[in-house]
Amino acid sequence: MILSDADILRRLETGDLVVEPLDDPDLQIQPASVDLRLGRTFLEFQHANIPCIHPTSEREVDEYVEETVVDEDGEFILHPGDFVLGTTYERVEIPPDLIAHVQGRSSMGRLAIVIHATAGIIDPGYRGQITLELSNLGTAPVALTPDMRISQLIFTELTSRAERPYGSGRGSKYQDQSGPQASKIQGDREFGGDQ
């Protein structure tokens, strides 16, 4: 069952679902979703002089990305074909009986901006800001400004609470993240990690 605006408000009021800061609930809470705003930090992928990235090498991943912080009144220009990691301004906490789906707003899609490549699910138990996988599929650059509503969260109620929610008990790699996070795939078991 997908939560309606009334369900979302009730869960926010009881405190088991957290979206903060939610500065303008009347604007941000939609009929069946919550609009999230764009943060100020971006990770840009550098491709000059890099033959390839080996997902198993944390050093290579770190060398491949460069952090950019946009001034409060500034903008980030996303060029055609670009792929960058951004972040939501809001921090969320998803209770064990819900799963959240992060989607782009249709207004952004109509400008050819997509906000996730594959990571559209926010697991039960997740806490932190959400990394956005931003791409410009169009033919013209698009200016992205901090605090603009860029994505939306849709909440689905599970048939039962997750027995092992996302978090420290699972060794979850992105729990409590602040700002965009580069891939930590080298921590996966198949690459010699423990997750």
Side-chain angles (χ1 to χ4, degrees):
M1 175 177 71
I2 294 175
L3 269 57
S4 71
D5 52 359
D7 297 325
I8 292 168
L9 279 167
R10 188 174 82 273
R11 300 292 294 260
L12 290 169
E13 287 169 5
T14 64
D16 70 333
L17 171 64
V18 175
V19 178
E20 59 185 18
L22 192 61
D23 293 334
D24 193 343
D26 286 340
L27 178 66
Q28 290 179 259
I29 297 176
Q30 299 297 319
S33 64
V34 176
D35 286 346
L36 299 181
R37 296 168 291 170
L38 182 63
R40 296 177 43 211
T41 307
F42 299 86
L43 293 180
E44 296 184 70
F45 291 83
Q46 307 304 310
H47 53 273
N49 299 322
I50 297 175
C52 72
I53 291 182
H54 297 92
T56 58
S57 172
E58 183 176 5
R59 182 186 58 78
E60 286 184 21
V61 171
D62 289 343
E63 289 176 0
Y64 186 57
V65 295
E66 182 177 303
E67 184 177 273
T68 299
V69 179
V70 176
D71 293 334
E72 264 185 58
D73 58 349
E75 57 190 20
F76 184 89
I77 307 300
L78 192 61
H79 291 273
D82 276 359
F83 176 83
V84 301
L85 298 177
T87 186
T88 59
Y89 178 74
E90 290 81 8
R91 179 185 172 281
V92 301
E93 293 182 20
I94 309 300
D97 67 326
L98 294 180
I99 191 168
H101 307 269
V102 64
Q103 299 289 331
R105 294 182 62 228
S106 74
S107 294
M108 297 306 298
R110 294 166 199 232
L111 296 173
I113 301 298
V114 296
I115 60 96
H116 75 82
T118 61
I121 291 182
I122 312 302
D123 281 320
Y126 175 79
R127 296 185 314 259
Q129 291 176 307
I130 299 169
T131 294
L132 303 173
E133 304 157 342
L134 300 165
S135 294
N136 181 343
L137 303 180
T139 58
V142 176
L144 304 178
T145 56
D147 294 332
M148 69 186 296
R149 289 179 295 140
I150 194 159
S151 63
Q152 58 188 341
L153 276 186
I154 301 164
F155 303 97
T156 303
E157 195 169 56
L158 303 176
T159 56
S160 64
R161 295 172 62 90
E163 289 183 14
R164 295 182 60 226
Y166 195 89
S168 60
R170 298 187 64 91
S172 302
K173 298 179 280 204
Y174 305 106
Q175 186 72 310
D176 295 314
Q177 74 181 14
S178 177
Q181 300 293 308
S183 176
K184 296 181 181 181
I185 195 169
Q186 66 277 357
D188 287 0
R189 190 169 293 148
E190 58 265 41
F191 297 125
D194 60 359
Q195 300 170 351

